[in-house]
Structures are given as C-alpha cells and as structure tokens.
Amino acid sequence: MRASDAEREAVAERLRHAMNEGRLDIAEFDERVGQAYAAVTRAELEPLTRDLPDTSRPARQGRSAVPAVGNDDEHEQSVERNRGRRSRGAEWRDWAGTSFVLVGIWLITSIASGGPTFFWPIFPMGIWAVILLSSMIFGSGEDERGGR
C-alpha cells in the first residue's frame, strides 16, 4: 500500500519528538526523516519508528499491566524544573537587553536636553531586578510536586 503525505509527515513528527526526548541524535534523525519523506510505501515507513516507544498516552497506558520503570509524571516534572532553571537565564538576558534600551533612551534624551536628566530607568530596572532576585531566592511559587 502506498504511503500518503500525511503518513510521511506523521512519521517525521514522531521522529522529531523522539529526537527532542534524546532518543535519536541529529545524524540519525536526519537520516530517518530523509528516508520517511522518500518512502513510497507504508512498509518503508514502519521500520523507521519500530524501535521508538509509542507516543500516544492511552496506548502506552493500556498496553501493559506492569508499571514502567520510572514515572512519566516525575520525568515531566524534572523537565519542567530544568526548563525553569534555563528560563531564569533568559529572564536575566531579557532584563539586561531592556535595561540597555532604557539607558539608551535616557542617554539620548539627556543629550537632547543639553545635560544629564534624572535617571528614570532605575525604576523599571530596579523593580524588575527585585522580582527576578526574589523568584531566585524564594522560588517561583510552585511546590515540590510541580503544582501551583
């Protein structure tokens, strides 16, 4: 049976998901996606995902009565915690970029007015920095289970 474009795209999406989970490296992902888009029949698509777990939750839960090693919820929570740690760096980069723009605006208005004016950027920069520091010190409001 010939494969449709939608079936090829579904296999590519499943491979993309597996790569994002760390199950495939970039080279293997590129090779398999190339084979998926070049596949003519469904039989050519099937081996590309045979060694990957099923990504649909209901099928995975209903497949076996034996619990899997490791808890999916725990894994998802640890991924969320790591994402939160990475986002702190991004928040500080956003703060620094915005502060740079605000100081630039202050500098231009000070030059245009003929002398230094009141350094008003301290207020938005300071408030934002206090919020970022407090979220680093006291957490983001989530408890240990990842809920709010």
Side-chain angles (χ1 to χ4, degrees), residues 78-146:
S78 73
V79 168
E80 285 299 318
R81 280 192 300 271
N82 289 338
R83 186 175 293 138
R85 288 187 193 114
R86 284 189 296 251
S87 72
R88 284 193 190 117
E91 289 172 356
W92 280 107
R93 281 191 301 276
D94 291 345
W95 176 84
T98 303
S99 297
F100 182 76
V101 170
L102 292 175
V103 170
I105 292 169
W106 170 80
L107 185 61
I108 290 170
T109 57
S110 291
I111 291 171
S113 68
T117 60
F118 178 72
F119 188 68
W120 56 265
I122 194 69
F123 294 112
M125 290 168 48
I127 292 169
W128 194 354
V130 167
I131 291 169
L132 290 176
L133 285 172
S134 66
S135 71
M136 285 177 59
I137 294 169
F138 301 113
S140 61
E142 294 185 0
D143 62 14
E144 291 299 316
R145 294 179 307 275

Side-chain angles (χ1 to χ4, degrees), residues 14 17 21 23 53-64 68 70-80:
R14 190 165 171 203
H17 183 72
E21 288 182 329
R23 297 181 193 278
D54 187 15
T55 57
S56 63
R57 283 191 174 263
R60 186 174 6 173
Q61 291 171 349
R63 185 180 299 156
S64 172
N71 187 344
D72 282 343
D73 291 334
E74 289 176 10
H75 173 70
E76 289 174 11
Q77 290 170 3
S78 73
V79 168
E80 285 299 318

